Amino acid sequence: MRVYLETFGCQMNELDSELVRGQLLSLGHEFVPHPDEAQVVLFNTCSVREHAEQKVYSRLGLAGVRKKQGEQLIVGVIGCMAERDGVDLFKRYPQVDLMCGPGELDRLPLLIDNAARADAADRSERVALAGNKSRRSATLQAAEDNLELLDLSRAFEPVANDAKSRSAYVRITRGCNKFCTYCVVPHTRGAEVHRPPSHIVDECKRLVDAGVLEITLLGQTINHYRYTHGTALTVDGHEAPQVGPGLAAFRKPPDPGARTTTFADLLHRIHEEVPALQRLRFVTSYPRDFGDDILQVMRDSPRICHYLHVPAQSGSDRMLKAMNRGYTVSEYLEFIDRVTTTLPDCTIGGDIIVGFCGETDEDFEQTCELVRRVPYKNNFIFKYSPRPGTVAFDRLADDVPDEVKRARNNALLALQNTVSARVHERWVGRTVPVFLEDIRERAAPTGPANGHVALSVAGRAPAAATLRIRQVIGRTPGDLIVALPAPENAETMLGTIQSARIIGSKPLLLDGVFPTI
Ligand code: SAH
Ligand code: SF4
Ligand code: F3S
């Protein structure tokens, strides 16, 4: 069948979509770029904020109109909204034929098959096939084994020579056990489960053999990766995914009798066993329990990027406590100091929530202070969005008015811009390797500045409106964006890593040139 798949949300979802795509392609389905051409429309959804869900509701509205007009169309909601909304969504959106939470994606082809065969009138059968939460009663281990097969089924065809396919995600941990009070992720993705290191290393090797240059490891609190060997085996004696050890495991030294792969060990293994991998990075780091062992492996392994995405969420101890984040501002800062001491050129990014329950002007000012103090290259700033099912939704009042949330959001964005500008400035004059990803053409603001190539139409004197500059856009190991004047053969350079000299900076961008040009 012709399938259209649209993805919302985080990198976990992007990876899930890739796996789902591979699985459906191998079963003979084909993918189309526009929903109008599709027989099956799938939305891989995100529940993290209300806004993310609204986008999907509007897509469902459009699909509903098509069905009302008599089109034969299968509409599927997969991912975190399917898990959170469950049967409620079926009730409100009768146009939805199937739902499949992130823990059930291995069953998606079956659900599509069944939906295709089902009598359109027999809606009750479809609901029963939704799969949502169906595994909750089964043992977690069994559920995760099947999911593990989905990751293991990944297709490793030689990749095209473009940037997107030369950069890949590899999951090391599923789910989350932290239960920050505002967050749906532990509810939608389930308990923290670590994949066996051999599966991870093997996946990295096969991706690199197929031409991948850059791998980003994924986990919600990635430094909490820990696998104890010999304790979780499949019936045929292979290592199986393993439920996370809990916070207590990080309070004491590892049991000397146990053979354990820590996150630092895993990074080291991938770096050593996959020598053709050019860039290894990972998200998202949790500010607590990030040991010096990890920083040392990063320092000593030239192909591990000096880049951390390590969200603080707030600069107020009171808010961090209400959020159940498990660290104080001074512990966060102590960690940042360790990072900058061991890895002076490490870039740091984060996430911040403004307007969380009970946040006063003073709490907010403390967050501003944190942003002034930490050399963040960027921060994603979110207005708190109460999510049904979370502790904050049930027990804390969403008492910061929306105008105040918006004002704090804007003030923090402006402050972050000045911090970002300072961080970017420090790179001017350096030569850095840049992974080239994209070409963009845009109007030149004030004529051909900074050595950029100006294209004028048919040799006429370039009027301001006809001036276009063509740039190649790439990223440094530290995930800073670099814009370079595009040479003639720019297309052939996409998906490669080239040296660039940084000659200027803007708050969110470095201007570079190729040294040989
Ligand atoms: N595991 C990561 C975050 C995953 S969710 C971590 O702990 O850092 C991505 C980001 O969404 C979070 O860092 C947080 O800033 C934001 N977020 C999560 N729930 C939210 C909510 N209810 N309202 C607003 N932002 C939220
Ligand atoms: Fe959500 Fe907290 Fe887990 Fe991150 S650590 S996914 S914010 S519960
Ligand atoms: Fe959204 Fe689910 Fe990711 S809620 S942020 S898609 S884990």
Side-chain angles (χ1 to χ4, degrees), residues 8-13 44-49 52 79-81 102 184-185 188-189 220:
F8 302 83
C10 65
Q11 295 109 325
M12 286 281 175
N13 260 15
N44 192 4
T45 58
C46 173
S47 275
V48 81
R49 283 168 293 275
C80 291
M81 266 173 85
V184 290
V185 174
T188 60
R189 295 267 167 181
Q220 294 296 351

Side-chain angles (χ1 to χ4, degrees), residues 10 47-50 175-176 178 180-185 219-222 283-287 309-313 323 325 327 350-354 356 380-387 390 392:
C10 65
S47 275
V48 81
R49 283 168 293 275
E50 195 187 347
C176 182
K178 302 302 172 296
C180 301
T181 52
Y182 51 80
C183 184
V184 290
V185 174
Q220 294 296 351
T221 53
I222 199 151
V283 290
T284 300
S285 297
Y286 184 55
H309 185 75
V310 53
Q313 311 297 0
M323 290 173 168
R325 283 293 285 180
Y327 51 84
D351 301 343
I352 286 178
I353 297 176
V354 293
F356 187 60
F380 295 108
I381 301 166
F382 305 108
K383 291 188 296 173
Y384 169 57
S385 165
R387 308 309 295 138
T390 60

Side-chain angles (χ1 to χ4, degrees), residues 424-493:
H424 281 75
E425 237 169 54
R426 289 188 209 151
W427 291 82
V428 177
R430 295 179 63 168
T431 297
V432 287
V434 180
F435 182 93
L436 300 175
E437 294 186 325
D438 208 0
I439 294 177
R440 70 169 187 194
E441 227 175 280
R442 60 187 183 93
T446 51
N450 288 346
H452 288 140
V453 184
L455 304 175
S456 64
V457 176
R460 268 184 284 137
T466 62
L467 266 179
R468 311 282 301 166
I469 53 174
R470 215 164 84 97
Q471 294 178 313
V472 211
I473 308 296
R475 277 179 304 116
T476 69
D479 208 41
L480 300 175
I481 298 168
V482 185
L484 303 117
E488 288 275 302
N489 63 343
E491 276 79 6
T492 63
M493 297 167 86

Side-chain angles (χ1 to χ4, degrees), residues 267-319:
L267 283 178
H268 183 69
R269 259 193 79 175
I270 299 173
H271 186 264
E272 297 307 302
E273 293 179 36
V274 196
L277 174 61
Q278 299 296 306
R279 286 187 175 186
L280 177 60
R281 45 175 92 216
F282 52 87
V283 290
T284 300
S285 297
Y286 184 55
R288 190 172 153 166
D289 308 317
F290 198 110
D292 285 337
D293 54 344
I294 305 173
L295 294 175
Q296 280 152 14
V297 170
M298 290 173 76
R299 184 194 57 201
D300 299 338
S301 311
R303 289 170 294 106
I304 300 183
C305 299
H306 292 184
Y307 163 66
L308 293 177
H309 185 75
V310 53
Q313 311 297 0
S314 171
S316 147
D317 283 340
R318 221 170 60 80
M319 286 297 104

